[in-house]
Amino acid sequence: MERNVKQKPLLKGFLTLTCIGLLLSGCGASDEEPAVENAGQEITEADIKAPAPSPEPDSREEPVPEKTAEENPEENEAQTDSQEVPSDTTSLYEQFLHNEISLTTASAFPQEDYRTSICEPNTAYTLSELGARVSEYYLNPEYTDKTSYDSIQYTYVNSPDSTDTAKKNLLIKFIGLNIYAPDDESYIVFVVSENEGQLSLTYEYECWARSGATAYTNGLLNSDWSGGAGDQMSGLSAILSDGSYANIYAAEELYGWWTSYINDTIYKETFDENTVVNLIASIYTIGDAQYYLYDLSQCTEEEIPLCETFIERCRTEAGINWVSEEEVQAAVQNRCAALGIDYSATQAPEKVTWTDL
């Protein structure tokens, strides 16, 4: 194959994989409204600021005892229904959200070849400092008068490789970054993980008009992005119990002329330059292996012999591994097992609910 598929945390599903329920539920900035219903106890902007001094009590007034949880069952129920996180971890996460402590960028934090990393490894950030870095990174004064992101949201997720539902990772979303266009409500999400009393920044991903991701409560991420009108990509990945990111699979679906990406030389030798080809081909990257599928259902009777010639030549001359949908599904199941993920966790997981900060 003459073209490498970029591994980035699937496309419109045309396969019958049971994972199809996850595809194209992406959260690109053009689809998802940033203001959502709160899922847990809301932390307001006032919480981040230093509290105002309390007024002196009036010695003539008799103090009113605070109500206990038993005396106020409605309040107790609301607290129980909020996002449940172990008390020690909750305290650390909430301290960070209140701007009281810092986290450190993990050494494994993504460093991309095609762009400067937003956070340097082994660097400490409070929430305010992280927000300032986000604004500096995305809002270039040469192109916009905007100087800061619009808002912050957060949520907690479990880990698909762990049965310990008490172990949570924190996701923090900075919204309003003008990644694709002014006021496009694009955003970046950071993954924060707690380990032995320390908070680490372990991963980040962007959502904008041509690149989206949907987070699920079990720690899975479903992504979709576009490389052109006939080049649609998607993927399923996971945030593991240590906060690290792991790709389960990535898929690229090619239509018509874009199927030349499989082998440009054979394509040009098979099809006339002006021929409209309705061939569909998909490339799945699962672990270290690639799997190719083709679909002739949209081809005309006249096109089918040429498409079959192209497919066979790619097999025999370029070593393309054409497989069935069942083989792809089996490979996905094996990948999940290698990561310690129960394959059933990929079946219709629940989307997270974001809480305004």
Side-chain angles (χ1 to χ4, degrees):
M1 175 181 173
E2 297 185 351
R3 181 175 181 270
N4 293 326
V5 181
K6 179 171 173 30
Q7 291 291 326
K8 190 174 169 119
L10 239 140
L11 54 92
K12 298 187 210 169
F14 74 97
L15 296 177
T16 59
L17 295 177
T18 55
C19 296
I20 203 69
L22 296 172
L23 304 182
L24 287 184
S25 55
C27 61
S30 59
D31 298 323
E32 179 178 330
E33 293 294 332
V36 298
E37 181 179 351
N38 295 348
Q41 182 176 354
E42 182 176 346
I43 300 175
T44 65
E45 182 178 357
D47 290 327
I48 301 178
K49 300 177 182 178
S54 301
E56 291 296 328
D58 189 336
S59 59
R60 296 171 296 177
E61 294 182 1
E62 181 177 348
V64 179
E66 294 184 0
K67 291 184 178 180
T68 64
E70 289 79 5
E71 294 171 330
N72 194 351
E74 293 183 1
E75 180 178 341
N76 185 45
E77 181 179 357
Q79 292 174 349
T80 301
D81 291 340
S82 64
Q83 300 186 39
E84 297 181 2
V85 185
S87 57
D88 291 344
T89 302
T90 301
S91 177
L92 289 172
Y93 286 150
E94 289 187 351
Q95 286 179 67
F96 177 74
L97 293 172
H98 282 86
N99 216 39
E100 296 171 357
I101 62 173
S102 61
L103 51 70
T104 302
T105 309
S107 57
F109 188 80
Q111 305 293 315
E112 308 280 3
D113 293 334
Y114 69 96
R115 64 168 183 166
T116 303
S117 176
I118 187 170
C119 295
E120 294 296 326
N122 303 313
T123 302
Y125 298 91
T126 63
L127 180 64
S128 292
E129 290 168 341
L130 184 60
R133 175 56 183 152
V134 167
S135 296
E136 175 189 33
Y137 187 85
Y138 287 102
L139 302 173
N140 190 330
E142 293 184 13
Y143 305 108
T144 181
D145 293 330
K146 191 174 184 178
T147 59
S148 177
Y149 58 87
D150 294 331
S151 59
I152 303 176
Q153 295 178 338
Y154 70 96
T155 192
Y156 298 106
V157 295
N158 292 314
S159 305
D161 63 327
S162 174
T163 57
D164 182 6
T165 57
K167 172 65 175 175
K168 305 280 186 178
N169 289 310
L170 170 66
L171 306 186
I172 305 175
K173 179 196 296 187
F174 291 85
I175 305 168
L177 305 180
N178 294 5
I179 295 176
Y180 187 75
D183 302 321
D184 63 356
E185 297 184 348
S186 56
Y187 57 85
I188 185 171
V189 175
F190 291 100
V191 178
V192 181
S193 183
E194 180 274 332
N195 184 35
E196 297 183 353
Q198 301 295 320
L199 297 184
S200 298
L201 192 62
T202 58
Y203 187 69
E204 57 86 6
Y205 62 88
E206 298 174 348
C207 286
W208 48 287
R210 296 180 65 180
S211 178
T214 298
Y216 297 97
T217 57
N218 62 0
L220 293 179
L221 293 175
N222 180 50
S223 306
D224 61 271
W225 62 102
S226 174
D231 184 6
Q232 304 300 313
M233 291 167 275
S234 56
L236 183 66
S237 54
I239 301 171
L240 303 180
S241 54
D242 62 356
S244 62
Y245 167 88
N247 188 42
I248 297 175
Y249 66 88
E252 183 174 21
E253 188 165 286
L254 305 169
Y255 302 84
W257 171 85
W258 278 267
T259 56
S260 64
Y261 287 176
I262 295 175
N263 190 289
D264 186 63
T265 300
I266 295 177
Y267 184 92
K268 290 179 178 178
E269 291 175 355
T270 304
F271 301 104
D272 182 83
E273 182 178 358
N274 298 319
T275 300
V276 176
V277 181
N278 292 303
L279 175 65
I280 301 173
S282 299
I283 308 169
Y284 277 78
T285 302
I286 307 171
D288 297 327
Q290 287 190 321
Y291 302 82
Y292 295 77
L293 295 92
Y294 63 85
D295 181 2
L296 301 176
S297 63
Q298 303 301 313
C299 296
T300 64
E301 291 184 6
E302 293 77 13
E303 291 174 355
I304 288 179
L306 289 175
C307 291
E308 290 177 337
T309 297
F310 173 71
I311 291 166
E312 184 59 26
R313 287 190 61 186
C314 285
R315 185 200 313 273
T316 58
E317 299 175 28
I320 296 302
N321 181 29
W322 298 109
V323 299
S324 66
E325 297 175 0
E326 291 74 17
E327 289 175 281
V328 171
Q329 183 173 2
V332 171
Q333 292 174 334
N334 291 336
R335 175 61 175 165
C336 286
L339 294 172
I341 298 173
D342 188 336
Y343 179 71
S344 64
T346 67
Q347 309 304 297
E350 179 186 357
K351 293 181 181 180
V352 301
T353 302
W354 294 94
T355 300
D356 293 321
L357 183 60

